[in-house]
Amino acid sequence: MTDAAIVGTGPNGLAAAVTLARAGLKVVLHEQADTPGGGLRSMSLFDSSVVHDICSAVHPMAAASAFFRSFDLPTRGVRLLQPDIPYAHPLPGGHAAAAWRSLACTAEHLGADGPRWSRLLGPLADRSTAVVDLFLSDLRSLPRYLRVPALLAPRIMALATNRTPFTTVEARALLTGVAAHAVGKLPSLASAAVALLLAHTAHASGWPLPEGGSIRIADALIADITAHGGTFHTGHHVKDLAELGNVPLVLLDVSPTEFLTIAGDRLPAAYRRALRRYRYGPGAAKADFLVSEPIPWTNPLLGQAGTVHVGGPHTDIIRQETATAAGQQIPDPFMLVVDPAVTDPTRASGHKRPVWAYAHVPNGDTRHPVEMIRARIEEYAPGFTDTIIASRGLSAAQYATYNPNYVGGHIASGALTLRQSLARPTLRRDPYTTPLPGVYLCSASTPPGPSVHGMCGHLAALSALRRHHGIRTSPALSPKPDQEFI
């Protein structure tokens, strides 16, 4: 007999399955694609010897979240490789700014803003576990360490009101580039929180890339689920809850829009209206390149970075993100660029290597992104075009087809606003429950929101275990001594 069915096998669906299976439940997972993994998928696109990450590539939260700390990826054979420079930022005139793993090294290179950078992020890096656990909570519980909210509140308010402590172009661009990971209007409370979370982890747990590609994280999760009796049904798009049969527990790693479709009239009218009010943010347009050599950045510092933010000075980034959030198509969108072989040399094969790039675009944008992204990289890396062997692009509209959770290509599964942080996807005491008995939401449309941290799935599973099985503590997630690792 099946104890729980999970629909969707992205990071949160897999984390939910790990948690339930570790508690002794028999779990069945349903995935519409031919392979599980969601945003963790990697595959060869152009050459069988070169692996490309289809969605996520860099994983700060896989090194930092409470779920993955307990799951212990390194012990399972997943090497989280750390670049010396987690992120960097090209600027006009061949200049660049960089954030090193070392806070002191970063401060040294920021000149007059060095002490200010240390004062802003140093106290958070010193308490990183507590800071991350607060951000990646259900946002309903009191934090264990009350000093952390006191540290965060004035910093968030200052950044949200554009009162940054920095005066140099370099420091302002570095922080604004990280804030743009919120994928929305700048500045805002959400972008300020995202900036502090991501910027401080660069100096703490880091911004690692899994050796061999993001799929290695998914493989570890899948192996643990299978080892504990879980089974997978791939190539099965669940279109109605009735397809799952009389399963006592159902956890849905799906967007509110998809939930409305598969639950239909079973949902009360008021709840359906609330879900329809849920808002999605700008989309992501993705380009994958197969290239013959490392990106020829004008400033060689950029060639050492795990992630490169392409947006220019901070005023340009604010303009780009605010215009995109308003639905305007602009020719110079903010971009994230990753040359994975910089951090993981195994990703290169001879004179072939992958390049991964996202551009922030309006929700549902249909523009083919390859040329736009190529041209933007070329601005700061003349000669990049000559290195391209093959390319592939997915518009924001195509991303929504690839994964229904990415409504309009919005990979964060819901706009990051103050309201939707507290009412994600609706205002409920337990945000993972639904009006349907035994049916839970566990996608990034629930707290704490997007990124590969597994906490939405883990917290939803804990809620289900508490309510339906009286289990009030998390099952052990660490590997068993005799478990076979991938």
Side-chain angles (χ1 to χ4, degrees):
M1 176 181 173
T2 299
D3 298 311
I6 294 177
V7 178
T9 62
N12 288 307
L14 294 175
V18 166
T19 306
L20 295 178
R22 284 293 188 121
L25 275 63
K26 184 172 177 56
V27 180
V28 175
L29 297 95
H30 300 267
E31 169 58 51
Q32 73 161 2
D34 293 332
T35 58
L40 291 171
R41 292 191 186 99
S42 306
M43 64 182 67
S44 297
L45 295 177
F46 314 108
D47 186 288
S48 60
S49 65
V50 178
V51 172
H52 296 258
D53 293 314
I54 305 306
C55 295
S56 57
V58 182
H59 297 278
M61 296 302 105
S65 80
F67 172 79
F68 279 114
R69 294 199 309 267
S70 297
F71 190 71
D72 195 354
L73 286 167
T75 300
R76 297 171 184 275
V78 181
R79 295 185 64 201
L80 298 177
L81 305 178
Q82 298 279 4
D84 290 335
I85 298 176
Y87 61 96
H89 197 109
L91 291 163
H95 300 291
W100 275 260
R101 283 292 307 282
S102 165
L103 181 63
C105 186
T106 306
E108 179 183 345
H109 284 80
L110 287 177
D113 274 336
R116 301 183 186 103
W117 188 271
S118 295
R119 285 196 296 271
L120 178 70
L121 299 176
L124 305 183
D126 291 341
R127 301 165 179 82
S128 184
T129 297
V131 171
V132 170
D133 286 351
L134 175 60
F135 276 120
L136 301 187
S137 70
D138 63 4
L139 305 181
R140 303 294 191 277
S141 308
L142 286 174
R144 290 178 59 190
Y145 303 100
L146 295 179
R147 178 165 169 73
V148 170
L151 282 171
L152 287 169
R155 287 168 166 80
I156 290 175
M157 290 306 300
L159 300 186
T161 53
N162 209 22
R163 291 183 289 113
T164 66
F166 306 124
T167 58
T168 64
V169 172
E170 290 80 6
R172 287 188 172 194
L174 272 183
L175 194 63
T176 308
V178 179
H181 282 249
V183 196
K185 179 183 176 181
L186 293 178
S188 68
L189 287 169
S191 67
V194 167
L196 293 174
L197 173 62
L198 291 178
H200 99 269
T201 56
H203 306 304
S205 50
W207 286 25
L209 282 75
E211 184 179 49
S214 297
I215 191 65
R216 295 287 290 165
I217 298 176
D219 287 344
L221 294 164
I222 292 165
D224 192 78
I225 294 165
T226 303
H228 290 83
T231 56
F232 289 81
H233 293 304
T234 58
H236 177 208
H237 185 185
V238 174
K239 298 180 179 179
D240 193 295
L241 289 176
E243 298 174 36
L244 303 175
N246 295 319
V247 182
L249 285 178
V250 174
L251 277 74
L252 302 171
D253 184 7
V254 304
S255 70
T257 300
E258 186 76 356
F259 183 36
L260 283 166
T261 298
I262 65 177
D265 292 340
R266 297 177 184 85
L267 296 173
Y271 186 77
R272 291 202 304 272
R273 288 194 297 270
L275 289 184
R276 292 190 184 105
R277 288 194 294 269
Y278 189 73
R279 293 292 174 258
Y280 300 91
K286 171 83 181 308
D288 292 290
F289 299 96
L290 181 68
V291 299
S292 60
E293 60 185 66
I295 300 173
W297 300 109
T298 299
N299 192 309
L301 195 64
L302 301 169
Q304 304 175 48
T307 301
V308 176
H309 297 143
V310 177
H314 81 284
T315 51
D316 283 0
I317 304 171
I318 291 172
R319 171 185 56 79
Q320 292 156 6
E321 290 295 273
T322 300
T324 298
Q328 300 174 25
Q329 291 184 341
I330 58 175
D332 60 338
F334 178 82
M335 291 185 359
L336 294 84
V337 180
V338 177
D339 181 347
V342 168
T343 305
D344 177 9
T346 70
R347 298 290 294 278
S349 176
H351 291 289
K352 297 176 182 178
R353 59 200 286 142
V355 167
W356 173 107
Y358 270 123
H360 293 172
V361 297
N363 191 281
D365 192 35
T366 59
R367 286 177 296 173
H368 195 272
V370 168
E371 175 57 25
M372 176 173 62
I373 290 174
R374 181 209 60 77
R376 288 285 280 152
I377 296 176
E378 184 83 16
E379 288 179 40
Y380 298 99
F384 172 69
T385 301
D386 297 333
T387 72
I388 298 172
I389 301 169
S391 62
R392 184 195 79 152
L394 285 176
S395 68
Q398 289 171 318
Y399 244 121
T401 301
Y402 165 76
N403 187 333
N405 278 3
Y406 301 159
V407 177
H410 182 63
I411 58 176
S413 295
L416 292 178
T417 63
L418 177 60
R419 180 185 180 279
Q420 286 198 172
S421 295
L422 300 175
R424 192 174 181 91
T426 64
L427 186 61
R428 295 177 71 84
R429 182 173 182 179
D430 185 333
Y432 311 102
T433 62
T434 75
L436 303 181
V439 177
Y440 292 76
L441 289 174
C442 69
S443 71
S445 299
T446 64
S451 192
V452 178
H453 45 61
M455 291 303 295
C456 305
H458 179 57
L459 292 171
L462 292 180
S463 176
L465 289 172
R466 183 174 63 251
R467 290 172 176 271
H468 294 268
H469 293 273
I471 299 174
R472 298 189 173 277
T473 57
S474 174
L477 302 178
S478 59
K480 294 181 179 178
D482 58 347
Q483 188 170 333
E484 183 177 343
F485 304 120
I486 58 174

